[in-house]
Amino acid sequence: MKAPNKVIRTDKWQLNPTPDQKILLGETVKVYRRACRYLVGIIYTHWSDLGELTADQLTPAVEKLMHASAKRPNIKYPQFNKTFYKFPSYYRRAAMAFSAGQVSSFVTRYREWQSGNRNRKDAKPPKLNADTGCYPALYKGQCYKLHGYNQVEIKVFNGSDWVWTTVKITGLRERHLVESNKMMSPSLVFNERYCNLSVPFTCKPEKRKPEANVTAVDLGINTTATIAVVTHSGTVIHQEFIHPGRDIDRRDKRLKSVSMRASKTMGKGGKLHKGFCSLTYEKCRRINHQIGHIVSKRIVEIAEKFNSEAIVFENLKGWKPKGGRKRSNLRQRFHGWLKAKIRNFTEMKWAELGGKVIEVVAAYTSKLAYDGSGTVKRDSKNYSLATFPSGKRFNADLNGAYNIGARGVLKLTRRNGSEGRSSKSSGRPPRSWACLCDLWATVSQ
């Protein structure tokens, strides 16, 4: 198996500053943003010369314009040193890198707009935004000193000078415990709601020696995710249902309150103002984010436990619901379906462990019986229950997971040229319309 590439993942370390430290951290972020605004103007003015330089060449070139030294007493913009007295060199260089990125992005987008590459014919030209909500990057030893994992010493601005202050760390993730992970320069995130360190890690996954099985995932409406671990011989060695019902109920209860408040606000023929129930929608988005992480984490745990070769999903890109009347509960459930979020979160977590995610054709995964008996019939009262042509009653989502696993195994083990080849048992192309019985047939041959 090919060695996995390096991936970068970010942990959030929660800080617990005192009231006095909050003032210092706020002043530090404020003066850093002012420096960035100042540097954006300088870099944009001289972008014709600076734009052709590499990242290593750009920093000294900008310093020649605005930072005086003993060897360089005369500079073009002496106001920077006067305005930002004793501004630490590492903070200054971090601000330069960020400001150069802002200018480069603007210039690229503006050139595309000039060339006619626009989303709309009447699209307005992009603007150079110097007033950005950036946060200072901290360099080890110069901007922060880590004392174990209980407290961190940060260089902050007290209004007249730069001093060191020690802040307690109250919340950690687990990436710092992995020996192969390399910690990079964190950023100090501080605002009215948050105070934490955003700590990126370069993760180098170990080369895997997986077992001959795949973890198949059927994403549904009645059950958030149905898992089946299928071996290359077609044996199902594990099955599991993942459905964080408590979080889903919390989300749906809030969404239901929106319709009730809307009817009371606009009556029969009124209109809702812009931003109506925006806080409720934001809360629901956060709940969906949490659900996506809970489900994806469990999927990766199962795949890691059985050392699966890959995690298999249906290719649901561009899928749109056909069932459910407008404004009905079913349509709302389809609207809140987290198929893309769960798949993306799973891929990010699984790639960190050196695994891969594959997709198979979604057509007829739940509609065809895994035993090859034909098309199943859904129960009218309980849609998650399916009846096979043989009379067997089975969970429809689990049946779909079996077929997804079979298609995933065939995609990994068969060559591309065999995609259109028919199976002897069912007469369907095994990689696109295969069922679990087609995998059994390949083993018996």
Side-chain angles (χ1 to χ4, degrees), residues 9-11 173-178 181 201 203 352:
R9 295 290 183 264
T10 303
D11 277 358
R173 295 290 294 275
E174 66 283 347
R175 289 191 176 97
H176 64 283
L177 302 175
V178 181
N181 291 349
F201 287 88
C203 306
E352 191 173 341

Side-chain angles (χ1 to χ4, degrees), residues 221 251 255 288 321 329-338:
I221 302 298
R251 179 198 65 191
L255 291 175
N288 281 338
N329 291 335
L330 180 58
R331 182 56 65 92
Q332 179 175 309
R333 290 169 67 188
F334 275 122
H335 185 71
W337 192 14
L338 307 178

Side-chain angles (χ1 to χ4, degrees), residues 40 43 48 57 78 93 105 123 125 151 160 252 267 285 334 342 366 396:
V40 164
I43 294 173
S48 58
Q57 296 171 339
R93 288 166 185 170
S105 174
Q151 54 187 10
S160 59
D252 293 345
R285 278 192 288 270
F334 275 122
I342 293 173
S366 298

